[in-house]
Amino acid sequence: MLHNDLDINLQKADPGCLKEKPDQNNLGFGVHFTDHLFVMKWNRQRGWHNAEIKPYQDFSLDPAAMVFHYGQAIFEGLKAYLGPDKQIFLFRPKENLERMNRSALRMCMPRFSVENVLKALKALIYLDRDWVPESKGATLYLRPTMIASEPGLGLRPAEEYTFFIIKSPVGAYYSEGFNPVRIYVEDKYVRAVDGGVGEAKTAGNYAASVKSLTEAQEKGFSQVLWLDAVERKFVEEVGTSNIFFVIGDELITPPLSGTILPGVTRDSVIQLAKDWSLDIKERSITIDEVYTSHKNGLLKEIFGTGTAAVISPVGELCYQEKVITINDGKTGPMAQRFYEELQAIQFGQREDVHNWMVRVA
Ligand SMILES: *Cc1c(COP(=O)(O)O)cnc(C)c1O
């Protein structure tokens, strides 16, 4: 059932009913959606079935659908890029789909064939190829999602699921320049505990984080840096990004201990760091070490990594009312180098030595 070829029923939107394309220079993030979506269903008897690409439209779901009550929902985020010759590429899409299968396993949801879903994803992008933005740094953001659609209030894994992919043209993240952000180090709330669901991209993790985010934003910060839930001293990740520190000659990122999301961008930065013979270490780092290194003049840079922003430099940290400024609040050379290299690979301006790019059409 996992590996049979998937037959996709194609229903194209009526040419007269295509949406008006949004202004390419003012796309925002996840505001506009393309003309088509992909949907397939799963149940115990039939496995994956009813795969279809059809006009973007509302779903009809029973109010008792289990996702609304018990939150079995997982998702992914990746992008399609327009290369210099107008061909469309994806960046390491199998990593995202394999991660989604790992999220599915953790949430007692069905897994799928990565090959089949990648095929569906490519077909869907090709159909809406006019939606891949041409403006500099803009991309088509892809959101594969799976939800428990079986109605019922008894708590158990659902026996019916809906998988879908929607797509949104998104602007360059740094439309106003590559400016460092102010980050609040969260010491009241926690994101994930050992044995929990922190390494799954599951909806509840984000629902649980918005209280912390809004409180940080009220104080003038744009994101929070999470600490471990037990001792509240080890650095984990920031918002929806993984985190890196440049201390002395070391590039440090916390290890994948089970409570942080294993980012594809994180993995790519580690690979580039190895290519460049940098002293890259996946090791635990406490917030005290960060502050002490700053005091000793050794903390050179901090930056986040994630699909949405690629690299987000951190200009300021606030921990227990103590504010430190990193690299004078400016983007450091390391963050700049990773950002430029990744963007150049993704937009087809640099040789892709690791075969990260997958051609759509
Ligand atoms: C998606 C996500 C990341 C970044 O992962 P990428 O694959 O690099 O986009 C990091 N942390 C959290 C909590 C996330 O949800």
Side-chain angles (χ1 to χ4, degrees):
M1 257 181 308
L2 214 58
H3 299 290
N4 289 348
D5 242 20
L6 188 70
D7 282 326
I8 305 172
N9 185 53
L10 174 62
Q11 186 201 336
K12 282 193 197 180
D14 188 337
C17 296
L18 295 179
K19 299 180 188 181
E20 199 178 314
K21 302 279 191 305
D23 174 8
Q24 289 236 349
N25 299 311
N26 194 14
L27 290 169
F29 184 84
V31 182
H32 309 280
F33 296 94
T34 67
D35 287 309
H36 297 87
L37 84 169
F38 171 79
V39 194
M40 65 178 176
K41 303 273 188 188
W42 186 92
N43 66 26
R44 195 159 287 294
Q45 301 74 43
R46 301 177 62 192
W48 290 109
H49 63 282
N50 276 19
E52 50 185 339
I53 288 175
K54 60 185 182 182
Y56 191 96
Q57 58 193 260
D58 288 355
F59 284 146
S60 167
L61 280 178
D62 192 301
M66 290 170 78
V67 63
F68 296 139
H69 306 276
Y70 306 129
Q72 272 180 295
I74 57 175
F75 65 93
E76 271 304 326
L78 68 163
K79 289 170 167 176
Y81 307 80
L82 203 61
D85 47 8
K86 303 282 183 256
Q87 288 175 338
I88 302 168
F89 288 89
L90 295 165
F91 181 70
R92 309 187 71 184
K94 284 189 181 176
E95 303 292 325
N96 290 88
L97 297 177
E98 281 161 9
R99 181 170 72 190
M100 194 169 184
N101 267 339
R102 292 198 300 275
S103 299
L105 198 60
R106 179 63 183 83
M107 303 306 290
C108 290
M109 298 169 83
R111 283 173 290 170
F112 50 79
S113 148
V114 167
E115 289 300 325
N116 283 348
V117 170
L118 185 56
K119 233 193 279 174
L121 182 61
K122 287 180 182 175
L124 182 68
I125 295 166
Y126 189 68
L127 187 60
D128 282 338
R129 59 193 175 278
D130 292 348
W131 284 86
V132 183
E134 291 185 11
S135 56
K136 191 171 183 306
T139 56
L140 186 64
Y141 184 79
L142 313 161
R143 175 54 63 92
T145 310
M146 195 199 304
I147 56 170
S149 42
E150 184 196 1
L153 298 183
L155 180 59
R156 57 170 172 75
E159 296 195 348
E160 288 172 34
Y161 293 86
T162 301
F163 178 105
F164 58 91
I165 304 171
I166 54 175
K167 299 172 295 174
S168 172
V170 301
Y173 204 83
Y174 299 103
S175 47
E176 279 126 60
F178 193 44
N179 288 325
V181 291
R182 303 178 65 213
I183 302 284
Y184 186 77
V185 182
E186 181 59 81
D187 63 350
K188 182 158 85 174
Y189 303 108
V190 296
R191 191 188 97 90
V193 292
D194 194 27
V197 295
E199 65 184 342
K201 227 170 164 75
T202 184
N205 282 334
Y206 307 88
S209 75
V210 289
K211 179 80 173 133
S212 159
L213 180 63
T214 46
E215 288 185 14
Q217 286 174 342
E218 276 162 16
K219 296 185 193 108
F221 298 91
S222 57
Q223 277 293 348
V224 303
L225 173 62
W226 298 104
L227 300 178
D228 78 281
V230 179
E231 299 185 60
R232 311 274 176 109
K233 68 181 206 197
F234 293 101
V235 169
E236 298 224 308
E237 55 183 320
V238 49
T240 55
S241 300
N242 296 111
I243 191 154
F244 287 76
F245 300 87
V246 184
I247 297 180
D249 293 325
E250 262 186 336
L251 177 62
I252 301 157
T253 194
L256 299 177
S257 57
T259 53
I260 71 173
L261 208 290
V264 178
T265 320
R266 173 188 181 279
D267 187 73
S268 308
V269 164
I270 291 172
Q271 183 60 57
L272 290 177
K274 288 176 182 166
D275 294 352
W276 297 340
S277 304
L278 301 179
D279 187 8
I280 168 76
K281 293 217 171 66
E282 290 178 71
R283 68 160 173 92
S284 302
I285 176 167
T286 62
I287 189 68
D288 287 342
E289 182 183 344
V290 175
Y291 270 66
T292 308
S293 314
H294 179 263
K295 201 163 137 203
N296 299 339
L298 291 170
L299 176 64
K300 294 181 186 157
E301 291 183 45
I302 306 179
F303 57 88
T305 64
T307 296
V310 191
I311 301 289
S312 39
V314 175
E316 195 181 297
L317 277 190
C318 175
Y319 175 55
Q320 295 180 339
E321 322 224 311
K322 283 196 299 278
V323 175
I324 55 172
T325 302
I326 296 107
N327 193 42
D328 289 330
K330 297 194 195 77
T331 297
M334 196 80 97
Q336 187 77 38
R337 187 176 179 199
F338 282 117
Y339 179 71
E340 282 171 9
E341 183 73 13
L342 280 170
Q343 290 274 97
I345 294 169
Q346 290 167 336
F347 285 96
Q349 291 145 349
R350 189 86 92 241
E351 194 194 347
D352 174 24
V353 296
H354 296 291
N355 291 316
W356 282 339
M357 304 312 289
V358 172
R359 201 177 131 183
V360 171

